[in-house]
Amino acid sequence: MFALLFALLVSACSSDGVYFSDFRDIDEAGWAKQQSFDFDFADSIVKPESDLVLQLRHDNYYPYRNLYVKIDYFKNGKQVSTSDVNVALADKFGNWYGSGLGGLYQLTVPLRSKVAPGQFDEVTIWHNLRQDTVKNIANIGLALVKNE
């Protein structure tokens, strides 16, 4: 019964216009500054109306309101652009943005709209905080979603 419910939930999400989604787990020991997460888009960007979004999951114990990330875009192994993104995770009163279940919260942040096929084929994400290791971030991911 649980497997059927899960399958229905997953198919419902993919029919909402998600063309591609990929999450990476971050070790419980933390996300080291020199550790990057690479996402391959070589065959994924097929619809010009796709938007690229960052997906982030963190727990209640994340100690900051923000997470700064550096995002590098590559085509054929060469960097074509980079961006620094300030991901606001909570308001000034400490209320988490996004949706949560239990002690885990998920937030989706738009990065690029109307991504054209062939614009890039790989994306690398680094954290860009002053400290060496960031704890309490569970997963980070990228998705291509239908442009509304």
Side-chain angles (χ1 to χ4, degrees):
M1 179 66 173
F2 178 73
L4 178 62
L5 180 62
F6 181 74
L8 288 172
L9 185 63
V10 169
S11 67
C13 291
S14 62
S15 66
D16 265 350
V18 177
Y19 303 125
F20 171 87
S21 183
D22 190 10
F23 269 99
R24 303 296 161 83
D25 295 332
I26 297 176
D27 191 271
E28 284 185 31
W31 182 5
K33 194 161 190 108
Q34 68 275 12
Q35 180 185 15
S36 66
F37 291 98
D38 302 323
F39 298 86
D40 183 17
F41 285 88
D43 300 321
S44 303
I45 305 173
V46 294
K47 300 189 181 273
E49 65 273 9
S50 301
D51 289 343
L52 181 65
V53 297
L54 174 70
Q55 298 177 316
L56 183 73
R57 293 182 184 135
H58 65 91
D59 65 23
N60 264 335
Y61 301 103
Y62 182 74
Y64 309 109
R65 288 179 46 197
N66 300 41
L67 174 69
Y68 294 93
V69 293
K70 179 179 179 183
I71 303 175
D72 297 324
Y73 300 89
F74 295 87
K75 181 171 175 134
N76 299 325
K78 295 182 181 176
Q79 186 174 345
V80 293
S81 68
T82 189
S83 60
D84 292 313
V85 179
N86 175 9
V87 180
L89 298 174
D91 65 18
K92 64 182 179 179
F93 302 107
N95 300 311
W96 297 116
Y97 296 130
S99 58
L101 183 61
L104 196 63
Y105 293 87
Q106 180 170 327
L107 184 67
T108 300
V109 178
L111 296 176
R112 291 188 172 203
S113 61
K114 297 185 180 178
V115 176
Q119 191 173 357
F120 53 83
D121 55 23
E122 184 181 337
V123 176
T124 301
I125 301 176
W126 313 77
H127 88 74
N128 202 15
L129 291 177
R130 292 180 188 160
Q131 66 189 72
D132 287 334
T133 303
V134 177
K135 294 187 178 191
N136 304 101
I137 301 290
N139 314 92
I140 193 157
L142 292 175
L144 288 170
V145 297
K146 183 177 180 181
N147 180 291
E148 297 292 328

